[in-house]
mmCIF file of all heavy atoms in Angstrom:
data_model
loop_
_atom_site.group_PDB
_atom_site.id
_atom_site.type_symbol
_atom_site.label_atom_id
_atom_site.label_comp_id
_atom_site.label_asym_id
_atom_site.label_seq_id
_atom_site.Cartn_x
_atom_site.Cartn_y
_atom_site.Cartn_z
ATOM 1 N N VAL W 217 1.740 -18.669 12.168
ATOM 2 C CA VAL W 217 0.619 -17.782 11.841
ATOM 3 C C VAL W 217 1.065 -16.871 10.699
ATOM 4 O O VAL W 217 2.087 -16.189 10.803
ATOM 5 C CB VAL W 217 0.208 -16.927 13.066
ATOM 6 C CG1 VAL W 217 -0.986 -16.046 12.727
ATOM 7 C CG2 VAL W 217 -0.110 -17.807 14.267
ATOM 8 N N LEU W 218 0.293 -16.886 9.606
ATOM 9 C CA LEU W 218 0.617 -16.053 8.433
ATOM 10 C C LEU W 218 -0.405 -14.929 8.359
ATOM 11 O O LEU W 218 -1.583 -15.180 8.108
ATOM 12 C CB LEU W 218 0.546 -16.882 7.150
ATOM 13 C CG LEU W 218 1.270 -18.234 7.148
ATOM 14 C CD1 LEU W 218 1.005 -18.973 5.840
ATOM 15 C CD2 LEU W 218 2.768 -18.027 7.362
ATOM 16 N N ILE W 219 0.040 -13.700 8.585
ATOM 17 C CA ILE W 219 -0.908 -12.581 8.609
ATOM 18 C C ILE W 219 -0.823 -11.830 7.288
ATOM 19 O O ILE W 219 0.269 -11.485 6.827
ATOM 20 C CB ILE W 219 -0.617 -11.630 9.788
ATOM 21 C CG1 ILE W 219 -0.523 -12.429 11.092
ATOM 22 C CG2 ILE W 219 -1.699 -10.571 9.897
ATOM 23 C CD1 ILE W 219 -0.199 -11.591 12.306
ATOM 24 N N GLY W 220 -1.987 -11.558 6.683
ATOM 25 C CA GLY W 220 -1.998 -10.922 5.369
ATOM 26 C C GLY W 220 -2.952 -9.742 5.276
ATOM 27 O O GLY W 220 -3.564 -9.302 6.255
ATOM 28 N N LEU W 221 -3.067 -9.290 4.051
ATOM 29 C CA LEU W 221 -3.771 -8.043 3.720
ATOM 30 C C LEU W 221 -5.229 -7.992 4.199
ATOM 31 O O LEU W 221 -5.799 -6.912 4.354
ATOM 32 C CB LEU W 221 -3.701 -7.898 2.189
ATOM 33 C CG LEU W 221 -4.199 -6.671 1.456
ATOM 34 C CD1 LEU W 221 -3.640 -5.406 2.055
ATOM 35 C CD2 LEU W 221 -3.820 -6.779 -0.014
ATOM 36 N N GLY W 222 -5.821 -9.153 4.449
ATOM 37 C CA GLY W 222 -7.226 -9.179 4.850
ATOM 38 C C GLY W 222 -7.468 -8.936 6.328
ATOM 39 O O GLY W 222 -8.611 -8.994 6.789
ATOM 40 N N ILE W 223 -6.425 -8.666 7.109
ATOM 41 C CA ILE W 223 -6.689 -8.300 8.510
ATOM 42 C C ILE W 223 -6.897 -6.790 8.587
ATOM 43 O O ILE W 223 -6.505 -6.044 7.687
ATOM 44 C CB ILE W 223 -5.564 -8.727 9.493
ATOM 45 C CG1 ILE W 223 -4.212 -8.241 9.028
ATOM 46 C CG2 ILE W 223 -5.564 -10.194 9.768
ATOM 47 C CD1 ILE W 223 -3.808 -6.982 9.590
ATOM 48 N N HIS W 224 -7.513 -6.356 9.648
ATOM 49 C CA HIS W 224 -7.767 -4.931 9.823
ATOM 50 C C HIS W 224 -6.853 -4.410 10.925
ATOM 51 O O HIS W 224 -6.707 -5.057 11.972
ATOM 52 C CB HIS W 224 -9.234 -4.726 10.217
ATOM 53 C CG HIS W 224 -9.665 -3.318 10.079
ATOM 54 N ND1 HIS W 224 -9.381 -2.369 11.022
ATOM 55 C CD2 HIS W 224 -10.339 -2.692 9.086
ATOM 56 C CE1 HIS W 224 -9.872 -1.211 10.631
ATOM 57 N NE2 HIS W 224 -10.452 -1.379 9.450
ATOM 58 N N SER W 225 -6.270 -3.231 10.684
ATOM 59 C CA SER W 225 -5.257 -2.742 11.629
ATOM 60 C C SER W 225 -5.841 -2.507 13.029
ATOM 61 O O SER W 225 -5.107 -2.531 14.013
ATOM 62 C CB SER W 225 -4.611 -1.460 11.106
ATOM 63 O OG SER W 225 -5.592 -0.488 10.890
ATOM 64 N N SER W 226 -7.156 -2.336 13.127
ATOM 65 C CA SER W 226 -7.735 -2.133 14.459
ATOM 66 C C SER W 226 -7.645 -3.400 15.310
ATOM 67 O O SER W 226 -7.876 -3.365 16.508
ATOM 68 C CB SER W 226 -9.192 -1.676 14.352
ATOM 69 O OG SER W 226 -9.945 -2.686 13.732
ATOM 70 N N ASN W 227 -7.318 -4.528 14.672
ATOM 71 C CA ASN W 227 -7.144 -5.767 15.443
ATOM 72 C C ASN W 227 -5.691 -5.999 15.847
ATOM 73 O O ASN W 227 -5.358 -7.061 16.389
ATOM 74 C CB ASN W 227 -7.642 -6.971 14.634
ATOM 75 C CG ASN W 227 -9.146 -7.130 14.769
ATOM 76 O OD1 ASN W 227 -9.705 -6.877 15.852
ATOM 77 N ND2 ASN W 227 -9.808 -7.523 13.698
ATOM 78 N N ALA W 228 -4.829 -5.018 15.588
ATOM 79 C CA ALA W 228 -3.390 -5.206 15.834
ATOM 80 C C ALA W 228 -3.118 -5.590 17.294
ATOM 81 O O ALA W 228 -2.351 -6.522 17.559
ATOM 82 C CB ALA W 228 -2.622 -3.944 15.465
ATOM 83 N N GLN W 229 -3.743 -4.898 18.227
ATOM 84 C CA GLN W 229 -3.435 -5.192 19.645
ATOM 85 C C GLN W 229 -3.885 -6.595 20.030
ATOM 86 O O GLN W 229 -3.192 -7.302 20.756
ATOM 87 C CB GLN W 229 -4.085 -4.141 20.574
ATOM 88 C CG GLN W 229 -3.506 -2.738 20.428
ATOM 89 C CD GLN W 229 -1.980 -2.716 20.385
ATOM 90 O OE1 GLN W 229 -1.298 -3.473 21.076
ATOM 91 N NE2 GLN W 229 -1.423 -1.869 19.524
ATOM 92 N N ARG W 230 -5.067 -6.988 19.524
ATOM 93 C CA ARG W 230 -5.556 -8.349 19.827
ATOM 94 C C ARG W 230 -4.603 -9.395 19.257
ATOM 95 O O ARG W 230 -4.288 -10.396 19.909
ATOM 96 C CB ARG W 230 -6.931 -8.559 19.185
ATOM 97 C CG ARG W 230 -8.077 -7.836 19.860
ATOM 98 C CD ARG W 230 -9.326 -8.223 19.087
ATOM 99 N NE ARG W 230 -10.535 -7.762 19.703
ATOM 100 C CZ ARG W 230 -11.255 -6.743 19.244
ATOM 101 N NH1 ARG W 230 -10.857 -6.077 18.176
ATOM 102 N NH2 ARG W 230 -12.379 -6.405 19.840
ATOM 103 N N ILE W 231 -4.172 -9.161 18.016
ATOM 104 C CA ILE W 231 -3.266 -10.127 17.373
ATOM 105 C C ILE W 231 -1.963 -10.204 18.166
ATOM 106 O O ILE W 231 -1.442 -11.275 18.454
ATOM 107 C CB ILE W 231 -2.982 -9.711 15.912
ATOM 108 C CG1 ILE W 231 -4.249 -9.834 15.072
ATOM 109 C CG2 ILE W 231 -1.867 -10.556 15.309
ATOM 110 C CD1 ILE W 231 -4.148 -9.252 13.672
ATOM 111 N N ARG W 232 -1.444 -9.022 18.537
ATOM 112 C CA ARG W 232 -0.178 -8.996 19.293
ATOM 113 C C ARG W 232 -0.311 -9.744 20.607
ATOM 114 O O ARG W 232 0.577 -10.508 21.003
ATOM 115 C CB ARG W 232 0.228 -7.545 19.567
ATOM 116 C CG ARG W 232 0.820 -6.895 18.350
ATOM 117 C CD ARG W 232 1.046 -5.417 18.545
ATOM 118 N NE ARG W 232 1.672 -4.893 17.348
ATOM 119 C CZ ARG W 232 2.768 -4.139 17.323
ATOM 120 N NH1 ARG W 232 3.352 -3.777 18.439
ATOM 121 N NH2 ARG W 232 3.274 -3.717 16.194
ATOM 122 N N ARG W 233 -1.436 -9.512 21.310
ATOM 123 C CA ARG W 233 -1.623 -10.195 22.607
ATOM 124 C C ARG W 233 -1.652 -11.707 22.407
ATOM 125 O O ARG W 233 -1.016 -12.453 23.139
ATOM 126 C CB ARG W 233 -2.931 -9.729 23.257
ATOM 127 C CG ARG W 233 -2.793 -8.429 24.026
ATOM 128 C CD ARG W 233 -3.927 -8.267 25.024
ATOM 129 N NE ARG W 233 -5.237 -8.277 24.388
ATOM 130 C CZ ARG W 233 -5.842 -7.174 23.926
ATOM 131 N NH1 ARG W 233 -5.253 -5.998 24.029
ATOM 132 N NH2 ARG W 233 -7.033 -7.230 23.369
ATOM 133 N N TRP W 234 -2.392 -12.126 21.376
ATOM 134 C CA TRP W 234 -2.540 -13.568 21.141
ATOM 135 C C TRP W 234 -1.190 -14.227 20.833
ATOM 136 O O TRP W 234 -0.785 -15.180 21.499
ATOM 137 C CB TRP W 234 -3.537 -13.809 19.999
ATOM 138 C CG TRP W 234 -3.715 -15.241 19.627
ATOM 139 C CD1 TRP W 234 -3.953 -16.287 20.479
ATOM 140 C CD2 TRP W 234 -3.649 -15.795 18.306
ATOM 141 N NE1 TRP W 234 -4.056 -17.464 19.770
ATOM 142 C CE2 TRP W 234 -3.877 -17.190 18.426
ATOM 143 C CE3 TRP W 234 -3.451 -15.270 17.036
ATOM 144 C CZ2 TRP W 234 -3.898 -18.049 17.334
ATOM 145 C CZ3 TRP W 234 -3.471 -16.127 15.942
ATOM 146 C CH2 TRP W 234 -3.691 -17.495 16.100
ATOM 147 N N VAL W 235 -0.482 -13.710 19.828
ATOM 148 C CA VAL W 235 0.770 -14.388 19.440
ATOM 149 C C VAL W 235 1.848 -14.240 20.516
ATOM 150 O O VAL W 235 2.716 -15.101 20.654
ATOM 151 C CB VAL W 235 1.304 -13.922 18.057
ATOM 152 C CG1 VAL W 235 0.308 -14.252 16.956
ATOM 153 C CG2 VAL W 235 1.671 -12.453 18.042
ATOM 154 N N THR W 236 1.772 -13.163 21.322
ATOM 155 C CA THR W 236 2.770 -12.988 22.389
ATOM 156 C C THR W 236 2.443 -13.903 23.563
ATOM 157 O O THR W 236 3.300 -14.638 24.063
ATOM 158 C CB THR W 236 2.802 -11.517 22.856
ATOM 159 O OG1 THR W 236 3.007 -10.704 21.720
ATOM 160 C CG2 THR W 236 3.929 -11.263 23.849
ATOM 161 N N ASP W 237 1.172 -13.866 24.013
ATOM 162 C CA ASP W 237 0.798 -14.678 25.184
ATOM 163 C C ASP W 237 1.010 -16.170 24.911
ATOM 164 O O ASP W 237 1.411 -16.914 25.795
ATOM 165 C CB ASP W 237 -0.669 -14.437 25.568
ATOM 166 C CG ASP W 237 -0.869 -13.040 26.136
ATOM 167 O OD1 ASP W 237 0.152 -12.340 26.326
ATOM 168 O OD2 ASP W 237 -2.025 -12.639 26.359
ATOM 169 N N TRP W 238 0.728 -16.581 23.696
ATOM 170 C CA TRP W 238 0.861 -18.002 23.386
ATOM 171 C C TRP W 238 2.246 -18.334 22.818
ATOM 172 O O TRP W 238 2.537 -19.474 22.494
ATOM 173 C CB TRP W 238 -0.214 -18.432 22.371
ATOM 174 C CG TRP W 238 -1.608 -18.473 22.947
ATOM 175 C CD1 TRP W 238 -2.047 -17.801 24.044
ATOM 176 C CD2 TRP W 238 -2.708 -19.225 22.449
ATOM 177 N NE1 TRP W 238 -3.376 -18.068 24.264
ATOM 178 C CE2 TRP W 238 -3.817 -18.942 23.298
ATOM 179 C CE3 TRP W 238 -2.900 -20.088 21.390
ATOM 180 C CZ2 TRP W 238 -5.074 -19.513 23.102
ATOM 181 C CZ3 TRP W 238 -4.141 -20.652 21.184
ATOM 182 C CH2 TRP W 238 -5.220 -20.364 22.043
ATOM 183 N N ASN W 239 3.063 -17.311 22.626
ATOM 184 C CA ASN W 239 4.402 -17.466 22.040
ATOM 185 C C ASN W 239 4.349 -18.229 20.717
ATOM 186 O O ASN W 239 5.073 -19.193 20.490
ATOM 187 C CB ASN W 239 5.354 -18.164 23.032
ATOM 188 C CG ASN W 239 6.799 -18.028 22.591
ATOM 189 O OD1 ASN W 239 7.153 -17.079 21.882
ATOM 190 N ND2 ASN W 239 7.632 -18.980 22.974
ATOM 191 N N LEU W 240 3.459 -17.741 19.852
ATOM 192 C CA LEU W 240 3.256 -18.389 18.554
ATOM 193 C C LEU W 240 4.195 -17.803 17.504
ATOM 194 O O LEU W 240 4.291 -16.582 17.388
ATOM 195 C CB LEU W 240 1.817 -18.142 18.089
ATOM 196 C CG LEU W 240 0.772 -19.152 18.513
ATOM 197 C CD1 LEU W 240 -0.622 -18.594 18.241
ATOM 198 C CD2 LEU W 240 0.965 -20.469 17.779
ATOM 199 N N PRO W 241 4.862 -18.631 16.727
ATOM 200 C CA PRO W 241 5.673 -18.114 15.618
ATOM 201 C C PRO W 241 4.775 -17.403 14.592
ATOM 202 O O PRO W 241 3.695 -17.905 14.263
ATOM 203 C CB PRO W 241 6.293 -19.369 15.004
ATOM 204 C CG PRO W 241 6.176 -20.422 16.061
ATOM 205 C CD PRO W 241 4.949 -20.094 16.845
ATOM 206 N N VAL W 242 5.242 -16.271 14.092
ATOM 207 C CA VAL W 242 4.383 -15.472 13.217
ATOM 208 C C VAL W 242 5.192 -14.919 12.049
ATOM 209 O O VAL W 242 6.353 -14.536 12.186
ATOM 210 C CB VAL W 242 3.687 -14.344 14.042
ATOM 211 C CG1 VAL W 242 4.688 -13.413 14.688
ATOM 212 C CG2 VAL W 242 2.707 -13.556 13.195
ATOM 213 N N ALA W 243 4.546 -14.907 10.872
ATOM 214 C CA ALA W 243 5.135 -14.289 9.680
ATOM 215 C C ALA W 243 4.072 -13.359 9.090
ATOM 216 O O ALA W 243 2.871 -13.556 9.323
ATOM 217 C CB ALA W 243 5.524 -15.356 8.657
ATOM 218 N N VAL W 244 4.492 -12.359 8.349
ATOM 219 C CA VAL W 244 3.534 -11.407 7.768
ATOM 220 C C VAL W 244 3.833 -11.233 6.277
ATOM 221 O O VAL W 244 4.932 -11.516 5.815
ATOM 222 C CB VAL W 244 3.610 -10.022 8.448
ATOM 223 C CG1 VAL W 244 3.285 -10.107 9.923
ATOM 224 C CG2 VAL W 244 4.975 -9.365 8.233
ATOM 225 N N THR W 245 2.839 -10.718 5.553
ATOM 226 C CA THR W 245 3.115 -10.272 4.180
ATOM 227 C C THR W 245 3.518 -8.798 4.245
ATOM 228 O O THR W 245 3.229 -8.116 5.237
ATOM 229 C CB THR W 245 1.868 -10.423 3.283
ATOM 230 O OG1 THR W 245 0.858 -9.526 3.745
ATOM 231 C CG2 THR W 245 1.350 -11.849 3.261
ATOM 232 N N PRO W 246 4.181 -8.290 3.201
ATOM 233 C CA PRO W 246 4.675 -6.907 3.255
ATOM 234 C C PRO W 246 3.589 -5.863 3.518
ATOM 235 O O PRO W 246 3.825 -4.873 4.210
ATOM 236 C CB PRO W 246 5.279 -6.702 1.863
ATOM 237 C CG PRO W 246 5.666 -8.072 1.419
ATOM 238 C CD PRO W 246 4.646 -9.001 1.991
ATOM 239 N N LYS W 247 2.391 -6.088 2.989
ATOM 240 C CA LYS W 247 1.356 -5.065 3.127
ATOM 241 C C LYS W 247 0.883 -4.877 4.561
ATOM 242 O O LYS W 247 0.192 -3.895 4.854
ATOM 243 C CB LYS W 247 0.146 -5.404 2.244
ATOM 244 C CG LYS W 247 0.402 -5.395 0.758
ATOM 245 C CD LYS W 247 0.581 -4.027 0.147
ATOM 246 C CE LYS W 247 -0.660 -3.188 0.124
ATOM 247 N NZ LYS W 247 -0.433 -1.913 -0.605
ATOM 248 N N VAL W 248 1.174 -5.821 5.437
ATOM 249 C CA VAL W 248 0.756 -5.639 6.836
ATOM 250 C C VAL W 248 1.959 -5.590 7.767
ATOM 251 O O VAL W 248 1.830 -5.823 8.973
ATOM 252 C CB VAL W 248 -0.267 -6.705 7.297
ATOM 253 C CG1 VAL W 248 -1.553 -6.564 6.532
ATOM 254 C CG2 VAL W 248 0.279 -8.122 7.165
ATOM 255 N N LYS W 249 3.115 -5.262 7.212
ATOM 256 C CA LYS W 249 4.287 -5.119 8.076
ATOM 257 C C LYS W 249 3.980 -4.135 9.205
ATOM 258 O O LYS W 249 3.381 -3.095 8.963
ATOM 259 C CB LYS W 249 5.474 -4.596 7.259
ATOM 260 C CG LYS W 249 6.301 -5.701 6.593
ATOM 261 C CD LYS W 249 7.380 -5.111 5.699
ATOM 262 C CE LYS W 249 8.512 -4.470 6.452
ATOM 263 N NZ LYS W 249 9.356 -5.400 7.215
ATOM 264 N N GLY W 250 4.362 -4.502 10.400
ATOM 265 C CA GLY W 250 4.117 -3.653 11.558
ATOM 266 C C GLY W 250 2.889 -4.067 12.353
ATOM 267 O O GLY W 250 2.682 -3.595 13.462
ATOM 268 N N ILE W 251 2.068 -4.967 11.798
ATOM 269 C CA ILE W 251 0.893 -5.418 12.554
ATOM 270 C C ILE W 251 1.364 -6.143 13.819
ATOM 271 O O ILE W 251 0.720 -6.105 14.861
ATOM 272 C CB ILE W 251 -0.032 -6.304 11.679
ATOM 273 C CG1 ILE W 251 -1.404 -6.465 12.306
ATOM 274 C CG2 ILE W 251 0.563 -7.656 11.360
ATOM 275 C CD1 ILE W 251 -2.316 -5.312 12.102
ATOM 276 N N VAL W 252 2.535 -6.821 13.705
ATOM 277 C CA VAL W 252 3.210 -7.343 14.902
ATOM 278 C C VAL W 252 4.601 -6.711 14.950
ATOM 279 O O VAL W 252 5.091 -6.203 13.941
ATOM 280 C CB VAL W 252 3.344 -8.884 14.887
ATOM 281 C CG1 VAL W 252 1.982 -9.553 14.948
ATOM 282 C CG2 VAL W 252 4.115 -9.360 13.657
ATOM 283 N N ASP W 253 5.208 -6.763 16.113
ATOM 284 C CA ASP W 253 6.537 -6.169 16.287
ATOM 285 C C ASP W 253 7.581 -7.103 15.671
ATOM 286 O O ASP W 253 7.790 -8.221 16.160
ATOM 287 C CB ASP W 253 6.788 -5.973 17.790
ATOM 288 C CG ASP W 253 8.136 -5.334 18.058
ATOM 289 O OD1 ASP W 253 8.932 -5.166 17.109
ATOM 290 O OD2 ASP W 253 8.397 -4.999 19.235
ATOM 291 N N GLU W 254 8.232 -6.636 14.626
ATOM 292 C CA GLU W 254 9.164 -7.507 13.909
ATOM 293 C C GLU W 254 10.510 -7.635 14.612
ATOM 294 O O GLU W 254 11.396 -8.347 14.129
ATOM 295 C CB GLU W 254 9.333 -7.006 12.464
ATOM 296 C CG GLU W 254 8.031 -7.101 11.691
ATOM 297 C CD GLU W 254 8.112 -6.630 10.246
ATOM 298 O OE1 GLU W 254 9.219 -6.427 9.733
ATOM 299 O OE2 GLU W 254 7.037 -6.456 9.648
ATOM 300 N N THR W 255 10.660 -6.962 15.742
ATOM 301 C CA THR W 255 11.891 -7.167 16.513
ATOM 302 C C THR W 255 11.666 -8.188 17.633
ATOM 303 O O THR W 255 12.585 -8.485 18.404
ATOM 304 C CB THR W 255 12.394 -5.834 17.120
ATOM 305 O OG1 THR W 255 11.387 -5.326 18.001
ATOM 306 C CG2 THR W 255 12.681 -4.806 16.049
ATOM 307 N N ALA W 256 10.435 -8.718 17.728
ATOM 308 C CA ALA W 256 10.124 -9.677 18.802
ATOM 309 C C ALA W 256 10.686 -11.063 18.466
ATOM 310 O O ALA W 256 10.898 -11.398 17.293
ATOM 311 C CB ALA W 256 8.616 -9.758 19.002
ATOM 312 N N GLY W 257 10.888 -11.877 19.494
ATOM 313 C CA GLY W 257 11.533 -13.182 19.335
ATOM 314 C C GLY W 257 10.712 -14.172 18.525
ATOM 315 O O GLY W 257 11.274 -15.100 17.932
ATOM 316 N N ASN W 258 9.375 -14.018 18.489
ATOM 317 C CA ASN W 258 8.549 -14.996 17.764
ATOM 318 C C ASN W 258 8.330 -14.603 16.306
ATOM 319 O O ASN W 258 7.578 -15.255 15.590
ATOM 320 C CB ASN W 258 7.195 -15.178 18.459
ATOM 321 C CG ASN W 258 6.405 -13.888 18.528
ATOM 322 O OD1 ASN W 258 6.970 -12.796 18.394
ATOM 323 N ND2 ASN W 258 5.101 -13.988 18.732
ATOM 324 N N PHE W 259 8.982 -13.513 15.842
ATOM 325 C CA PHE W 259 8.797 -13.087 14.456
ATOM 326 C C PHE W 259 9.725 -13.892 13.546
ATOM 327 O O PHE W 259 10.945 -13.847 13.695
ATOM 328 C CB PHE W 259 9.070 -11.586 14.311
ATOM 329 C CG PHE W 259 8.821 -11.096 12.912
ATOM 330 C CD1 PHE W 259 7.534 -11.045 12.403
ATOM 331 C CD2 PHE W 259 9.876 -10.740 12.096
ATOM 332 C CE1 PHE W 259 7.301 -10.636 11.103
ATOM 333 C CE2 PHE W 259 9.651 -10.318 10.791
ATOM 334 C CZ PHE W 259 8.357 -10.271 10.297
#
Side-chain angles (χ1 to χ4, degrees):
V217 182
L218 312 175
I219 309 178
L221 186 50
I223 52 94
H224 195 280
S225 58
S226 63
N227 277 324
Q229 293 315 322
R230 287 182 172 106
I231 293 171
R232 283 172 177 230
R233 276 200 301 271
W234 177 49
V235 298
T236 306
D237 291 354
W238 289 22
N239 194 26
L240 270 167
V242 60
V244 299
T245 66
K247 295 287 291 185
V248 295
K249 272 175 72 68
I251 195 80
V252 295
D253 181 353
E254 296 180 12
T255 61
N258 60 341
F259 183 69

